[in-house]
Amino acid sequence: MAVPRLWRHIPTRYNLIGTECQTCGGLYFPPRTTCPTCRRDGRIIERKFKGTGEVVTYTTIYSASAAFHRQTPYVLAIVKLDEGPLLTGQIVCDPDEAKIGMKVRPVFRKLGEDGPSGIIYYGTKFAPLTEASQ
Amino acid sequence: MIGITSYGAYIPRYRIKVEEIARVWGDDPEHIKKGLLIYEKSVPDLDEDTATIAVEAARSAIYRRSIDPKEIGAIYVGSESHPYAVKPTATIVAEAIRATPDLTAADFEFACKAGTAAIQTCMGEVAMGAIKYGMAIGADISQSAPGDALEYTAAAGGAAYIIGKKNLITEIEDTFSFTTDTPDFWRREGESYPMHGGRFTGEPAYFKHIISATKGIMKKVGTKPSDYDYVVFHQPNGKFPLRVAKTLGFSEEQIGLGLVVPMMGNTYSGSSLIGLAAILDQAKPGSMILMTSFGSGAGSDAFSMTVTDGIEEVRDKAPTIAELLKNPRYLDYALYAKHKGKIAV
């Protein structure tokens, strides 16, 4: 990934910074610059999402792209954030731990790297929400 | 008075037992367990490194005290396994806790005592009034060559401390350091694994520096071993801290609570700081704590502190060391080698 593009993604990836339309209350992640409902009447502001949510559905990846094939098997899920938006993310748990409806919390992990000498990408993955982590 | 405002720790969920490492290298596990007083050690996940561990510990510290991260004026991350040779881990932590951009940040390196050196730097900046809060982190995914004795202990984890003048959970009476040029353990630029002087890492390094720094702080503050409720030393294994405690006149009761190494290994820059966190998880207001770190190369930083009433407000607001050690996932040596990048492909 080009370094400037990675750099632009830092707020969204590290802290789940999305956007909110003050006109209609719509919440967006990843961030949108225009509200698809209000169009030119929309007033978009920055909005940080907590990162807690629920697994809507998931799959276990056994055959991954070159960047991820050493991590297989891993769980990739669609997570519905408590505030509403859906996003795709990795769940750091054993495949047999993953359940639809499972509550999750955000964790800070390495998302990838441009080889051994390139830039490292960090960002948010999800982990099962346990009593100790609340 | 300057002291600790909040703290947070992080330990990866994976472990490997001494028996499994000994099986591969043909060692006697009972001899290792008895000799090192260590039973298992933490191992990072495939996507964890010193930066991710530092961020998790930092977020836990922020969460425990509900501090506005914009009030943190300095972040220093001590480690000997920073993910980049050039590109500070502290910048990643600062961005991840939303403390940017009005702050200073830097990475520290002094083997296993870089985290306590970071605390001293924060104390100085808070004392001069340049910053309201400073964050000092010690975190590592410790390296050890396959088959080296270090492999039984080199673990992963970290702790973050917020230093300030207000909302204190401990008041730090003073700090004292002892530093010499002692080549007991080192890693050259570009090398994957550290080298060490074997038995030379004991008397002239660990014991000399910890004993000198601990005696130094007690002389400076005017205290004696019996004045302290708890004491924590750097924990390269379980045996060294017990021996140094005995030499200095501390009892097993005083050192017991902070001795975390038997079930998680040596987290290098995180070692004494995670031990201190385990004490703060349980210490009552008014308790006196003495902490002395050790970093090869070599040096020790000693701190004398007293727990305040504030501890009761924050103790249960973030995971304790006991909670972080719960529900481990055990790895065999092959998966451990994969997690640690020891298999070259």
Side-chain angles (χ1 to χ4, degrees), chain B:
Chain B
M1 183 66 97
I2 290 168
I4 297 168
T5 295
S6 186
Y7 69 102
Y10 180 76
I11 303 161
R13 74 192 305 217
Y14 292 97
R15 306 278 187 280
I16 185 166
K17 287 179 182 284
V18 162
E19 283 84 350
E20 178 62 12
I21 300 173
R23 180 182 70 81
V24 172
W25 300 112
D27 292 331
D28 173 9
E30 295 310 315
H31 179 73
I32 303 285
K33 286 194 281 187
K34 202 176 157 198
L36 297 175
L37 268 183
I38 186 158
Y39 306 101
E40 56 193 61
K41 68 167 191 173
S42 58
V43 181
D45 204 343
L46 291 163
D47 54 2
E48 289 184 305
D49 64 14
T50 293
T52 67
I53 289 169
V55 167
E56 291 290 343
R59 284 180 172 172
S60 183
I62 295 275
Y63 191 73
R64 181 168 251 128
R65 182 53 105 177
S66 300
I67 279 177
D68 177 359
K70 300 287 184 203
E71 292 186 330
I72 293 174
I75 296 180
Y76 302 113
V77 182
S79 180
E80 55 184 83
S81 53
H82 288 291
Y84 290 95
V86 179
K87 166 81 180 89
T89 308
T91 58
I92 299 165
V93 175
E95 200 69 51
I97 63 169
R98 305 191 82 197
T100 52
D102 295 340
L103 82 164
T104 183
D107 286 358
F108 281 18
E109 190 279 319
F110 195 144
C112 300
K113 84 158 189 82
T116 54
I119 290 180
Q120 291 175 324
T121 308
C122 288
M123 287 172 66
E125 287 181 74
V126 169
M128 72 181 282
I131 60 172
K132 182 174 181 183
Y133 295 121
M135 178 178 272
I137 301 173
D140 258 306
I141 50 161
S142 318
Q143 301 106 347
S144 55
D148 191 318
L150 282 179
E151 206 173 27
Y152 289 104
T153 54
Y161 285 83
I162 299 175
I163 306 299
K165 278 184 178 171
K166 288 186 175 168
N167 301 317
L168 299 182
I169 57 170
T170 75
E171 292 181 343
I172 300 176
E173 283 93 35
D174 215 331
T175 177
F176 181 89
S177 294
F178 184 87
T179 308
T180 69
D181 182 352
T182 305
D184 60 316
F185 174 107
W186 63 91
R187 179 166 64 83
R188 294 280 299 274
E189 185 69 45
E191 293 294 314
S192 299
Y193 301 115
M195 302 279 287
H196 55 86
R199 287 184 180 275
F200 186 70
T201 60
E203 289 304 333
Y206 181 88
F207 292 100
K208 177 181 166 187
H209 291 78
I210 288 199
I211 289 169
S212 302
T214 306
K215 284 183 173 171
I217 188 70
M218 288 193 290
K219 188 177 175 194
K220 200 174 173 192
V221 180
T223 51
K224 54 189 185 304
S226 60
D227 292 331
Y228 293 93
D229 297 276
Y230 305 104
V231 62
V232 57
F233 299 113
H234 172 55
Q235 304 170 21
N237 53 54
K239 212 140 197 184
F240 275 22
L242 282 172
R243 208 174 107 198
V244 82
K246 196 174 175 188
T247 307
L248 282 159
F250 293 97
S251 67
E252 287 195 17
E253 286 72 38
Q254 285 168 296
I255 198 174
L257 195 57
L259 195 67
V260 292
V261 66
M263 300 311 284
M264 63 173 292
N266 176 10
T267 51
Y268 285 38
S269 300
S271 176
S272 50
L273 296 180
I274 291 177
L276 177 62
I279 292 170
L280 294 175
D281 285 342
Q282 295 194 38
K284 296 276 178 289
S287 301
M288 281 194 79
I289 303 171
L290 191 151
M291 171 173 72
T292 307
S293 62
F294 171 72
S296 289
S300 279
D301 303 324
F303 300 80
S304 174
M305 60 186 98
T306 305
V307 180
T308 73
D309 294 339
I311 190 75
E312 307 287 4
E313 299 164 24
V314 304
R315 203 196 311 264
D316 302 328
K317 300 278 172 63
T320 62
I321 299 301
E323 286 165 341
L324 290 167
L325 287 172
K326 273 186 195 166
N327 302 319
R329 290 281 188 283
Y330 290 101
L331 300 174
D332 60 20
Y333 192 90
L335 282 170
Y336 157 75
K338 181 182 170 189
H339 275 236
K340 289 294 296 167
K342 290 186 177 192
I343 304 173
V345 282

Side-chain angles (χ1 to χ4, degrees), chain A residues 54-114:
Chain A
E54 189 177 305
V55 171
V56 175
T57 186
Y58 71 93
T59 185
T60 302
I61 306 287
Y62 291 96
S63 180
S65 61
F68 298 97
H69 77 294
R70 297 292 180 203
Q71 292 185 32
T72 57
Y74 62 87
V75 178
L76 197 65
I78 294 176
V79 172
K80 185 175 197 291
L81 296 172
D82 288 344
E83 297 91 338
L86 301 176
L87 62 98
T88 305
Q90 194 177 327
I91 313 287
V92 289
C93 67
D94 296 335
D96 58 7
E97 280 181 272
K99 301 275 182 296
I100 287 173
M102 180 169 77
K103 301 282 184 197
V104 292
R105 66 186 169 90
V107 291
F108 193 80
R109 297 287 177 120
K110 258 172 82 168
L111 302 182
E113 61 185 20
D114 279 346

